[in-house]
């Protein structure tokens, strides 16, 4: 525990809230540095925090700053990460020892946000999209560490499903193998991020934040290890035309393969390319679905 203190820095407001058993929602920072362009990234991150407060919870944006796993970034720190963008290291589990020992900065992915959140005692985390099994993974073996983290670390993650830059079927198979429950909020179908449907089924449909909190509480109490994935469809009015978005996703993937982009660059490259191909339409949808997930995350945290 002594060593943990050295590398973990929880801001006083978040610490206080956790001690008083008030609801807290963790937020990631790779979505800020690598998921959206500046200045929309900073604006979105600050609005997400505001929405979480409006819904009765305390936001805790997580990042690695000067070698500390920082739980509850300030607005200035969010601005710093957003401006620095791709120049910040995208930090997954494997990057932690090096960044912490060197005293460097890193933007936390779903994986490292879960790790930081769990260390601080946060149970709920809201974001846009998670990583998964990439299309073509049968030859590239590109499977996001996010799936392994969901299997190991006890944090509930609210997302808008998985976008079809991933192989949705294989992503669900992987989650099943690793024992991660996939819940659909008000839906039986796995939402596909920009659109409300994917043709794939979730494991369970739940219609209230309380139902979701109850199931997760049981998972924690029984020591079943790992998290839970709550998929929340993008609100109808912001959802995109499936044919249009999928055409652009396919084009982005083709370009990505042509350029030989691989490893940790793949997801940020695809997100940026899709935003450019859609003339910013996908970014608008992305922002709205994150707000929607922040609202649900705050409500689930309140029930827990
Ligand atoms: N999907 C999005 N936006 C994002 C990400 C995924 O729609 O910003 C980020 C998250 O931080 C996620 C990471 O954890 O990408 C997954 O990266 P990879 O596929 O390299 O594991
Ligand atoms: Mn990968």
């Amino acid at each position: 525990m002594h060593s943990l203190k050295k590398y973990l820095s929880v801001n006083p407001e978040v610490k206080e809230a956790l001690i008083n058993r008030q609801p807290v929602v963790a937020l990631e920072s790779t979505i800020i540095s690598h998921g959206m362009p500046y200045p929309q990234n900073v604006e979105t991150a600050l609005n997400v925090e505001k929405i979480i407060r409006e819904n009765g919870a305390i936001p805790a944006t997580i990042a690695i700053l000067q070698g500390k796993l920082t739980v509850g970034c300030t607005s200035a720190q969010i601005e710093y990460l957003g401006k620095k963008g791709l120049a910040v290291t995208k930090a997954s589990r494997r990057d932690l020892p090096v960044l912490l020992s060197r005293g460097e900065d890193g933007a936390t992915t779903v994986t490292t946000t879960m790790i930081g959140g769990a260390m601080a005692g946060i149970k709920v985390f809201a974001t846009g999209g998670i990583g998964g099994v990439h299309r073509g993974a049968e030859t590239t073996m590109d499977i996001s560490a996010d799936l392994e983290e969901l299997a190991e670390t006890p944090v509930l993650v609210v997302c808008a499903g998985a976008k079809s830059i991933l192989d949705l079927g294989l992503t669900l198979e992987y989650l099943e193998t690793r024992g991660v429950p996939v819940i659909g909020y008000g839906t039986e179908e796995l939402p596909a991020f920009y659109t409300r449907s994917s043709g794939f089924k979730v494991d369970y449909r739940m219609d209230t934040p309380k139902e979701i909190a109850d199931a997760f509480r049981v998972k924690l109490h029984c020591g079943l290890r790992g998290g839970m994935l709550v998929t929340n469809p993008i609100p109808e009015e912001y959802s995109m035309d499936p044919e249009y978005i999928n055409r652009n996703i396919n084009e982005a993937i083709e370009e990505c393969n042509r350029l030989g982009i691989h490893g940790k660059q793949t997801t940020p490259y695809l997100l940026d390319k899709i935003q450019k191909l859609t003339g910013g339409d996908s970014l608008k949808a992305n922002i709205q679905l994150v707000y929607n997930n922040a609202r649900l995350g705050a409500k689930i945290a309140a029930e827990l």
Side-chain angles (χ1 to χ4, degrees):
M1 277 297 128
H2 181 75
S3 54
L4 188 60
K5 259 192 209 146
K6 191 168 157 193
Y7 299 110
L8 188 69
S9 163
V10 184
N11 100 18
E13 188 196 16
V14 174
K15 202 178 274 177
E16 178 88 5
L18 289 167
I19 290 168
N20 297 329
R21 306 185 120 263
Q22 283 175 283
V24 178
V25 177
L27 300 162
E28 61 156 305
S29 45
T30 291
I31 191 176
I32 305 173
S33 59
H34 291 66
M36 291 182 190
Y38 182 81
Q40 288 96 330
N41 55 0
V42 172
E43 194 187 305
T44 303
L46 297 176
N47 281 337
V48 165
E49 293 212 338
K50 194 164 143 245
I51 289 168
I52 286 173
R53 287 184 195 283
E54 284 164 3
N55 285 275
I58 304 292
T61 298
I62 298 181
I64 299 156
L65 295 166
Q66 296 177 42
K68 278 194 191 295
L69 204 36
T70 306
V71 178
C73 291
T74 63
S75 307
Q77 288 166 335
I78 288 172
E79 172 77 24
Y80 166 77
L81 292 163
K83 237 184 197 157
K84 227 175 149 193
L86 300 182
V88 183
T89 302
K90 175 181 162 190
S92 191
R93 178 179 268 272
R94 59 103 184 260
D95 303 287
L96 276 180
V98 177
L99 295 176
L100 298 187
S101 70
R102 286 183 175 169
E104 289 181 5
D105 297 335
T108 55
T109 62
V110 167
T111 295
T112 37
T113 305
M114 289 178 76
I115 294 173
M119 280 181 179
I122 300 173
K123 298 269 173 284
V124 178
F125 162 23
T127 189
I130 59 156
V133 181
H134 278 265
R135 278 155 69 176
E138 59 275 20
T139 50
T140 63
M141 288 184 74
D142 190 350
I143 299 172
S144 177
D146 293 352
L147 301 182
E148 286 294 305
E149 208 59 47
L150 280 161
E152 299 290 340
T153 302
V155 173
L156 181 149
V157 179
V158 181
C159 70
K163 63 174 78 58
S164 49
I165 64 170
L166 302 173
D167 186 317
L168 304 188
L170 293 187
T171 300
L172 288 173
E173 292 292 350
Y174 200 97
L175 290 167
E176 182 195 359
T177 301
R178 299 295 278 119
V180 180
V182 179
I183 309 302
Y185 183 60
T187 180
E188 262 136 49
E189 216 182 316
L190 178 74
F193 200 82
Y194 301 115
T195 59
R196 293 171 61 86
S197 56
S198 66
F200 290 94
K201 288 238 175 307
V202 293
D203 304 329
Y204 296 96
R205 170 184 175 150
M206 293 189 183
D207 293 322
T208 63
K210 180 173 183 302
E211 238 186 306
I212 296 169
D214 286 347
F216 190 54
R217 199 181 299 110
V218 170
K219 187 164 203 232
L220 296 175
H221 282 174
C222 296
L224 284 169
R225 212 154 40 92
M228 202 157 101
L229 188 64
V230 175
T231 63
N232 186 25
I234 183 171
E236 192 86 60
E237 64 265 43
Y238 302 112
S239 71
M240 299 182 77
D241 175 53
E243 201 272 323
Y244 170 73
I245 190 65
N246 286 324
R247 183 162 22 95
N248 285 297
I249 288 173
N250 289 339
E251 192 175 331
I253 291 177
E254 274 163 34
E255 182 74 11
C256 186
N257 292 339
R258 224 176 1 250
L259 294 172
I261 289 163
H262 59 94
K264 70 195 287 191
Q265 272 90 39
T266 300
T267 299
Y269 176 83
L270 290 173
L271 293 174
D272 179 61
K273 188 75 195 173
I274 294 162
Q275 277 161 24
K276 284 180 178 137
L277 288 172
T278 60
D281 285 355
S282 71
L283 179 59
K284 276 186 209 142
N286 197 345
I287 291 170
Q288 291 301 327
L289 65 84
V290 173
Y291 293 163
N292 193 44
N293 295 343
R295 280 187 284 272
L296 180 58
K299 287 178 191 162
I300 296 170
E303 292 291 344
L304 271 172

